[in-house]
């Protein structure tokens, strides 16, 4: 058996553990995106891999899950399908979740990974116990144990919280709520507000800060807020829920400002907690890591660390926001020197058909001295599709001059990223308040 590679690339010394026989080289607890990927890739590197996952159901709990995990069953995939539906203003039904659940199982068996249905627990440094549906327990030894158990939505501790739902239930509703109240300012809150509004519901979005999407570029947050309002969502900044009361007309939402809103559905998108409570983590010697670096480092002989630079991301509100690299605030905070900000705001061509007055906004943050593009953001149709390519450019260290020397595809929105010739503003490194010219 290969000696263990440490993250910094050093080879560990062979020890007694190396010579011990284990049932598996790797046992993964949790078959979500992280666990499945780690299991498959490790098996492809020749490791003997076992994985366990809780039985399938759309609503998760401590004992319910399903192969594919949050992303496939109650996250990215069903959410994106609803975003598509909402963009066309209609309801839809699809079997996509079950199809993907089947595909994930096949991916595992094709890679030679042994799948167990049941709850995994750690019972010793190299020992995993799987409790199956009928209560029988299986026990396996593994040289490495990977905890890939993800997280679960939490309800905010507010009187009447049991009257609210989380994103799990929101993705499994039988009927479209006519009146929805969404609590939270993060991406899940903003996305569900967009979905329900796009399907015709009355939506009130309550969040604690002045703008939703804390952590994103402030200017782009303001653009998203403007668009949400423009599409008819009632925004309640600096607001939270004091109490929920069941009434004949629906759920009565009392805000901390004393306002009352009656809703058919109240969604709490207020955070998630790790699924580690029942794992018995007191068992010693457990490696907690969900990154792709583990499989390559341990089984692939390619020591590597996860690279969190220039990770692109998207918020699938309508229209979507997508970003990569630094926001203007982050670039200023880094204080490495002055920055140049380029912005473009235009009515996308597709709006000539709908007549909608909603600007697409793009932004580049550039290091004034090196001309390196530090960050890019876009809020408008197809932003995530466009940003994936921009992310490659940033990863390669592209400069603004290189962006400018790239020929734009015409007519497209994406071409604006390579035709922003004039600087919108120059911000001094020490400046604490980024300005907006939009
Ligand atoms: C509503 C929503 C929308 C999202 N949209 C996006 C998006 O658009 N883009 C994006 O990139 N990300 C999105 N995410 C986030 C994304 O879904 C997660 O980052 C991703 O699924 C995490 O994968 P994971 O493998 O770490 O955990 P999970 O997918 O949660 O997998 C963990 C698995 O472990 C299982 N498990 C837990 N305990 C045990 C146990 N003791 N024994 C056996 N199995 C166990 C669980 O059942 C689960 O299947 C969204 C999330 C939500 C909630």
């Amino acid at each position: 058996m290969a000696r263990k590679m440490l993250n910094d690339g050093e080879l560990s010394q062979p020890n007694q553990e190396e010579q011990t026989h284990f049932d598996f080289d790797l046992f993964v607890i949790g078959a979500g995106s992280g666990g499945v990927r780690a299991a498959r890739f490790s098996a492809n590197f020749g490791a003997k891999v076992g994985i366990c996952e809780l039985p399938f159901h759309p609503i998760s709990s401590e004992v319910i899950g399903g192969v594919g995990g949050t992303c496939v069953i109650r996250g990215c995939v069903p959410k994106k399908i609803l975003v598509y539906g909402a963009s066309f203003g209609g309801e839809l039904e699809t079997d996509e979740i079950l199809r993907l659940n089947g595909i994930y199982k096949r991916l595992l068996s094709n890679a030679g990974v042994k799948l167990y249905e049941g709850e995994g627990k750690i019972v010793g440094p190299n020992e995993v116990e799987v409790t199956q549906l009928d209560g029988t327990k299986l026990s396996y030894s593994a040289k490495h144990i990977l905890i890939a158990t993800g997280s679960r939505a939490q309800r905010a501790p507010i009187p009447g919280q049991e009257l609210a739902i989380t994103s799990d239930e929101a993705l499994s509703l039988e009927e479209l709520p006519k009146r929805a109240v969404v609590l939270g300012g993060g991406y899940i809150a903003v996305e569900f507000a967009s979905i329900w509004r796009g399907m015709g519901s009355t939506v009130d979005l309550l969040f604690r800060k002045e703008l939703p999407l804390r952590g994103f570029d402030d200017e782009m947050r303001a653009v998203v807020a403007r668009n949400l309002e423009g599409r008819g969502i009632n925004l309640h900044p600096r607001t939270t829920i004091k109490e929920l009361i069941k009434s004949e007309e629906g759920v009565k939402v009392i805000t901390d400002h004393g306002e009352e809103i009656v809703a058919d559905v109240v969604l709490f998108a207020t955070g998630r907690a790790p699924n580690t409570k029942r794992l018995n983590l007191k068992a010693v010697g457990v490696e907690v890591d969900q990154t792709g670096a583990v499989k390559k480092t341990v089984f692939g002989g390619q020591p590597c660390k996860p690279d969190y630079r220039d990770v692109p991301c998207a918020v699938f509100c309508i229209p979507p926001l997508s970003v990569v690299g630094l926001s203007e605030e982050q670039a200023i905070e880094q204080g490495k020197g002055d920055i140049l900000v380029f912005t473009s705001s235009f009515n996308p061509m597709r709006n000539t058909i709908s007549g909608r007055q909603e600007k697409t906004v793009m932004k580049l943050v550039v290091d004034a001295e090196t001309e390196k593009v530090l960050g890019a953001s876009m809020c408008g149709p197809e932003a995530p599709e466009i940003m994936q390519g921009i992310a490659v450019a940033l990863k390669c260290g592209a400069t603004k001059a290189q962006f400018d020397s790239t020929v734009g595809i015409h007519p497209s929105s994406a071409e604006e990223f390579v035709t922003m010739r004039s600087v919108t503003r120059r911000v001094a490194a020490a400046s604490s308040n980024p300005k907006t010219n939009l």
Side-chain angles (χ1 to χ4, degrees):
M1 191 177 292
R3 277 191 294 150
K4 182 179 173 185
M5 291 276 190
L6 300 177
N7 261 353
D8 61 5
E10 280 175 21
L11 282 170
S12 63
Q13 292 308 307
N15 55 28
Q16 210 183 343
E17 192 196 51
E18 304 283 330
Q19 272 111 58
T20 317
H21 170 79
F22 295 105
D23 297 325
F24 292 100
D25 297 320
L26 173 70
F27 199 97
V28 183
I29 305 180
S33 322
V36 167
R37 205 172 148 82
R40 284 175 56 214
F41 281 60
S42 301
N44 288 340
F45 282 127
K48 189 176 174 203
V49 184
I51 190 167
C52 68
E53 173 57 59
L54 301 168
F56 177 92
H57 191 276
I59 316 288
S60 65
S61 75
E62 277 176 341
V63 289
I64 292 290
V67 173
T70 307
C71 171
V72 169
I73 302 167
R74 51 193 92 81
C76 328
V77 173
K79 182 270 308 281
K80 187 81 188 284
I81 291 170
L82 286 179
V83 170
Y84 280 134
S87 306
F88 298 111
E91 294 177 48
L92 72 169
E93 277 189 20
T94 146
D95 295 331
E96 185 62 4
I97 309 323
L98 284 176
R99 191 182 74 85
L100 288 175
N101 175 253
I103 287 182
Y104 268 64
K105 285 183 179 166
R106 273 200 302 285
L107 286 173
L108 287 169
S109 68
N110 290 348
V113 176
K114 182 92 182 83
L115 171 66
Y116 300 92
E117 192 174 57
E119 183 182 1
K121 268 198 186 103
I122 294 159
V123 288
N126 295 92
E127 204 73 21
V128 177
E129 185 182 83
V130 181
T131 309
Q132 301 186 104
L133 269 183
D134 62 5
T136 52
K137 291 183 194 300
L138 306 169
S139 184
Y140 296 104
S141 62
K143 184 162 180 234
H144 301 277
I145 298 170
L146 180 67
I147 299 171
T149 45
S151 61
R152 229 175 35 255
Q154 300 292 299
R155 283 186 176 76
I158 289 169
Q161 51 156 296
E162 67 287 351
L163 300 172
I165 61 168
T166 70
S167 56
D168 280 11
E169 292 88 9
L171 289 166
S172 297
L173 291 176
E174 296 277 320
E175 278 177 26
L176 177 67
K178 286 203 175 65
R179 302 158 301 175
V181 167
V182 180
L183 177 66
Y187 77 98
I188 293 178
V190 167
E191 289 175 344
F192 275 101
S194 279
I195 289 168
W196 284 330
R197 182 64 203 134
M199 291 181 172
S201 311
T202 300
V203 180
D204 288 84
L205 178 63
L206 283 56
F207 46 93
R208 268 193 307 225
K209 301 283 170 184
E210 182 65 34
L211 290 169
L213 299 177
R214 187 163 61 95
F216 284 82
D217 187 290
D218 283 349
E219 193 169 29
M220 302 309 284
R221 293 169 71 195
V223 172
V224 170
R226 193 169 70 203
N227 290 346
L228 295 177
E229 252 181 336
R231 294 209 172 217
I233 295 171
N234 306 314
L235 298 189
H236 301 257
R238 298 180 306 278
T239 305
T240 189
I241 296 179
K242 213 173 119 206
E243 191 178 1
L244 297 178
I245 302 167
K246 201 173 165 75
S247 76
E248 272 181 17
E249 306 89 60
V251 181
K252 202 190 280 177
V253 178
I254 319 282
T255 74
D256 58 345
H257 300 311
E259 255 180 303
E260 284 187 15
I261 310 165
V262 179
D264 304 306
V265 157
V266 179
L267 168 65
F268 280 1
T270 44
R272 299 177 64 84
N275 285 326
T276 43
K277 223 164 70 193
R278 290 159 58 103
L279 275 178
N280 190 22
L281 287 182
K282 286 184 293 281
V284 285
V286 176
E287 198 169 4
V288 182
D289 194 325
Q290 297 199 23
T291 69
V294 170
K295 55 193 182 278
K296 270 194 188 165
T297 304
V298 180
F299 300 112
Q302 302 167 35
C304 63
K305 287 183 181 164
D307 182 0
Y308 296 117
R309 277 175 313 122
D310 297 329
V311 176
C313 73
V315 179
F316 291 97
C317 43
I318 304 173
L321 167 70
S322 193
V323 305
V324 62
L326 302 183
S327 66
E328 185 172 341
E329 294 74 30
Q330 286 166 336
I332 294 167
E333 257 169 41
Q334 281 203 351
K336 290 205 175 132
D338 292 5
I339 56 164
L340 304 175
V341 177
F342 297 79
T343 53
S344 173
S345 172
F346 57 94
N347 213 19
M349 202 186 258
R350 65 163 64 193
N351 285 359
T352 55
I353 297 170
S354 64
R356 185 182 290 285
Q357 293 300 310
E358 183 176 68
K359 296 265 193 282
T360 284
V361 177
M362 291 175 171
K363 177 167 181 177
L364 288 176
V365 177
V366 177
D367 184 310
E369 196 187 333
T370 63
E371 281 218 336
K372 217 173 130 178
V373 178
L374 302 173
S377 328
M378 172 176 174
C379 184
E382 313 300 347
E385 305 294 334
I386 293 169
M387 201 54 65
Q388 186 69 75
I390 303 287
V392 176
L394 259 68
K395 203 85 187 160
C396 296
T399 62
K400 180 68 170 59
Q402 286 166 325
F403 268 62
D404 294 346
S405 68
T406 304
V407 174
I409 296 171
H410 185 73
S412 70
S413 290
E415 69 179 318
E416 284 292 317
F417 269 125
V418 295
T419 52
M420 291 190 222
R421 296 284 184 261
S422 15
V423 167
T424 308
R425 59 185 171 272
R426 183 183 182 112
V427 187
S431 162
S432 58
N433 280 328
K435 298 267 181 313
T436 170
N437 294 47
L438 291 171

